[in-house]
């Protein structure tokens, strides 16, 4: 599973990245700095940088699938090839490209199947993308994980990078766990229970704290 910096966007933003600052970002930064001594040291290091969302649901989910269980470098290479093959990145364009062309982008057979299944779900309107913004986090996750290849981690990345939800804690993300380990436990191994305990102090801004921990590992997001 790739560290999620490949989803995190920076200036200049790619065409599929939303440049606006999440409306809660300034409040979340101030609150996290006030109540958490690690965040108080970490957040100022990154100035005006902030989470940049991806406004297209299909593109966001496809990009997350590409990033599963591979290095950031491998994910970036495959995504670049996929965008060259399907510049509009629409479900119809992906389906038209077909399995062989998708595999030629460096995708495994399984990921090729997953992206084609995702495209089919969107084209056939078997998902309710137009309703996700009104649904709570767990309801969106429950719908997304019904699609082949969409894990809870993938759904949580979607909540963060497409819906810009402020309080997501992706415990399956290795970057989050590594960030907690390095910043809060001097590099010692961290359990999910440890991570939850640390993150309890971040509510309701766990997304924001997670993003800054990603930045502590990769200061300049792509």
């Amino acid at each position: 599973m790739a560290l999620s910096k490949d989803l995190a966007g920076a200036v200049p933003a790619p065409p599929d990245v939303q440049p606006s600052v999440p409306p809660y970002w300034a409040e979340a930064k101030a609150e996290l700095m006030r109540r958490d001594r690690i965040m108080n040291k970490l957040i100022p290091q990154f100035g005006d940088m902030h989470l940049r969302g991806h406004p297209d649901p299909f593109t966001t989910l496809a990009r997350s699938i590409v990033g599963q269980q591979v290095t950031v470098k491998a994910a970036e290479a495959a995504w670049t090839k996929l965008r060259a093959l399907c510049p509009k990145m629409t479900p119809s364009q992906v389906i038209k490209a077909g399995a062989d062309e998708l595999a030629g982008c460096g995708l495994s057979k399984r990921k090729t199947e997953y992206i084609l299944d995702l495209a089919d779900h969107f084209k056939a309107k078997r998902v309710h993308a137009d309703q996700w913004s009104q649904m709570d986090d767990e309801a969106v996750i429950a719908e997304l994980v019904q699609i082949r290849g969409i894990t809870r981690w993938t759904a949580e990345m979607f909540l963060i990078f497409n819906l810009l939800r402020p309080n997501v804690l992706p415990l399956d993300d290795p970057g989050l766990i590594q960030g907690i380990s390095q910043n809060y436990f001097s590099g010692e191994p961290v359990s999910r229970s440890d991570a939850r305990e640390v993150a309890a102090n971040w509510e309701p801004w766990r997304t924001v704290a997670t993003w800054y921990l990603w930045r502590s590992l990769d200061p300049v997001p792509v």
Side-chain angles (χ1 to χ4, degrees), residues 148-166:
R148 289 184 64 200
I150 303 293
T151 62
R152 183 177 178 89
W153 175 83
T154 311
E156 287 169 338
M157 293 304 102
F158 182 81
L159 291 175
I160 292 171
F161 290 102
N162 180 267
L163 297 180
L164 300 178
R165 296 294 170 86

Side-chain angles (χ1 to χ4, degrees), residues 103-156:
C105 296
L107 299 175
S108 66
K109 182 176 184 292
R110 182 166 293 180
K111 284 188 181 178
T112 296
E113 292 171 353
Y114 290 165
I115 289 177
L116 285 170
D117 188 56
L118 175 69
D120 186 60
H121 270 77
F122 270 77
K123 187 175 181 180
K125 299 189 183 302
R126 292 200 298 274
V127 291
H128 305 95
D130 59 333
Q131 299 177 25
W132 287 337
S133 63
Q134 283 80 49
M135 294 163 60
D136 67 33
D137 291 358
E138 289 301 324
V140 175
I141 290 171
E143 180 163 314
L144 287 174
V145 297
Q146 300 304 310
I147 304 171
R148 289 184 64 200
I150 303 293
T151 62
R152 183 177 178 89
W153 175 83
T154 311
E156 287 169 338

Side-chain angles (χ1 to χ4, degrees), residues 2-217:
L3 173 66
S4 302
K5 79 163 192 172
D6 64 310
L7 294 168
V11 178
D16 57 318
V17 175
Q18 174 58 252
S20 60
V21 183
Y24 52 79
W25 202 258
E27 179 184 357
K29 284 171 59 176
E31 188 69 15
L32 288 169
M33 290 171 64
R34 184 184 66 79
R35 67 168 81 150
D36 188 300
R37 63 181 181 83
I38 300 298
M39 288 292 155
N40 189 49
K41 295 178 181 178
L42 186 60
I43 289 173
Q45 296 177 29
F46 300 99
D48 294 331
M49 292 173 62
H50 58 83
L51 169 67
R52 296 184 183 276
H54 296 261
D56 179 65
F58 177 73
T59 301
T60 306
L61 290 166
R63 192 169 185 174
S64 294
I65 289 173
V66 170
Q68 290 174 358
Q69 298 180 332
V70 295
T71 66
V72 171
K73 184 176 180 180
E76 289 171 0
W79 182 251
T80 298
K81 291 177 181 178
L82 182 57
R83 287 309 303 259
L85 176 66
C86 302
K88 295 181 180 179
M89 194 48 65
T90 62
S92 295
Q93 192 173 57
V94 169
I95 291 169
K96 185 177 180 180
D100 290 343
E101 292 290 337
L102 294 177
C105 296
L107 299 175
S108 66
K109 182 176 184 292
R110 182 166 293 180
K111 284 188 181 178
T112 296
E113 292 171 353
Y114 290 165
I115 289 177
L116 285 170
D117 188 56
L118 175 69
D120 186 60
H121 270 77
F122 270 77
K123 187 175 181 180
K125 299 189 183 302
R126 292 200 298 274
V127 291
H128 305 95
D130 59 333
Q131 299 177 25
W132 287 337
S133 63
Q134 283 80 49
M135 294 163 60
D136 67 33
D137 291 358
E138 289 301 324
V140 175
I141 290 171
E143 180 163 314
L144 287 174
V145 297
Q146 300 304 310
I147 304 171
R148 289 184 64 200
I150 303 293
T151 62
R152 183 177 178 89
W153 175 83
T154 311
E156 287 169 338
M157 293 304 102
F158 182 81
L159 291 175
I160 292 171
F161 290 102
N162 180 267
L163 297 180
L164 300 178
R165 296 294 170 86
N167 198 34
V168 180
L169 184 70
L171 289 172
D172 293 322
D173 187 83
L176 169 63
I177 300 301
Q178 184 182 352
I180 291 174
S181 170
Q182 291 189 8
N183 289 279
Y184 290 85
F185 292 87
S186 302
E188 293 296 316
V190 171
S191 68
R192 292 169 70 94
S193 177
D194 292 332
R196 284 194 189 94
E197 185 174 345
V198 169
N201 196 37
W202 304 337
E203 297 222 38
W205 314 117
R206 294 183 299 179
T207 294
V208 181
T210 296
W211 189 88
Y212 281 106
L213 291 177
W214 286 337
R215 298 286 65 73
S216 75
L217 304 176

